[in-house]
Amino acid sequence: LRLRAEVPLSELLDELSAPHPRYYAARLQLRRSLPELLADLDETHPAAALEGGPAAALGGCFGDPQAVNPVCYLGAGRQATPMHFDPSENLLCVVQGAKELTLFHPADTPHLYPAGERNSAAVYSLANLCDPADADRFPALAEARPLRALVREGDVLYLPCGWWHAVRGSEGRNLSVNYWFALHESKADARVEVDGIVARAAREAAALG
């Protein structure tokens, strides 16, 4: 059960220092929620010339940057994000701590039960990789081929559109800043495939009630 709440930043930071933090700050749009932190993004660096992020240096690889950029995630206590995929390109930049990701190619979608919770444009799996019992409840998971990545402080991970991923933060405080992009025009075929997966997942979620 996940509940949404707005709390002062000081309360969030105190909670993240507790043995079992109750809070996880997800999808914080820095320009709206914490504009005072934008000054910490080095806009003079060649890789940060546009919107305080890497869009200028890497923009030729992607479509338009999303208006929400940059987006912050701040947690502790090995917080977990369930397996899902996003229909946008993503650069995940770890500023503090580390993030462990379990990744699946879009071709593994038939084995990943894509009919779970819908959150914004993301599509979630019914299976919980943190629950060993789900290996029995969802036997097709055994056919999927996971890749694992540890993204440490100072690392940047490119998460392609449509790739499934489950995320676990480090025990100590962990902070990442994400930049989202539309697909490059050369990836029009991928857009069709991702839209198809989203549509099928929506139908299956509706059928499950």
Side-chain angles (χ1 to χ4, degrees):
L1 178 64
R2 294 185 296 277
L3 301 176
R4 295 185 179 184
E6 291 189 9
V7 300
L9 179 59
S10 58
E11 181 179 341
L12 170 65
L13 295 177
D14 286 344
E15 183 64 30
L16 294 181
S17 299
H20 304 287
R22 297 172 297 160
Y23 298 154
Y24 173 49
R27 299 185 297 278
L28 292 178
Q29 299 179 30
L30 291 186
R31 296 188 183 282
R32 185 177 69 183
S33 301
L34 294 169
E36 58 271 32
L37 297 184
L38 291 174
D40 292 334
L41 299 175
D42 184 4
E43 298 190 8
T44 65
H45 192 281
L50 178 62
E51 297 295 327
L58 302 174
C61 302
F62 307 109
D64 293 334
Q66 293 190 358
V68 297
N69 290 344
V71 179
C72 174
Y73 295 77
L74 176 59
R78 290 189 57 77
Q79 84 281 353
T81 300
M83 182 164 58
H84 67 285
F85 81 80
D86 305 289
S88 302
E89 304 275 63
N90 180 10
L91 291 176
L92 187 159
C93 313
V94 174
V95 178
Q96 183 181 26
K99 296 286 184 76
E100 302 172 15
L101 287 92
T102 303
L103 304 145
F104 296 90
H105 189 279
D108 278 327
T109 296
H111 310 305
L112 300 179
Y113 302 89
E117 174 189 349
R118 296 292 304 281
N119 185 346
S120 184
V123 175
Y124 283 75
S125 170
L126 286 172
N128 179 3
L129 296 185
C130 296
D131 185 350
D134 273 12
D136 294 327
R137 287 195 290 264
F138 302 103
L141 284 175
E143 303 299 320
R145 295 160 292 178
L147 300 173
R148 293 180 173 83
L150 176 61
V151 190
R152 299 183 177 89
E153 183 173 324
D155 291 341
V156 177
L157 176 69
Y158 166 47
L159 268 173
C161 172
W163 275 66
W164 292 86
H165 52 285
V167 187
R168 204 177 251 290
S170 53
E171 183 65 39
R173 188 180 299 169
N174 52 84
L175 168 66
S176 64
V177 177
N178 290 45
Y179 296 87
W180 304 89
F181 302 87
L183 280 167
H184 191 274
E185 60 183 11
S186 65
K187 294 185 176 180
D189 56 338
R191 175 80 278 158
V192 172
E193 179 65 23
V194 169
D195 286 348
I197 295 172
V198 171
R200 288 195 299 272
R203 289 195 299 269
E204 291 171 13
L208 289 171

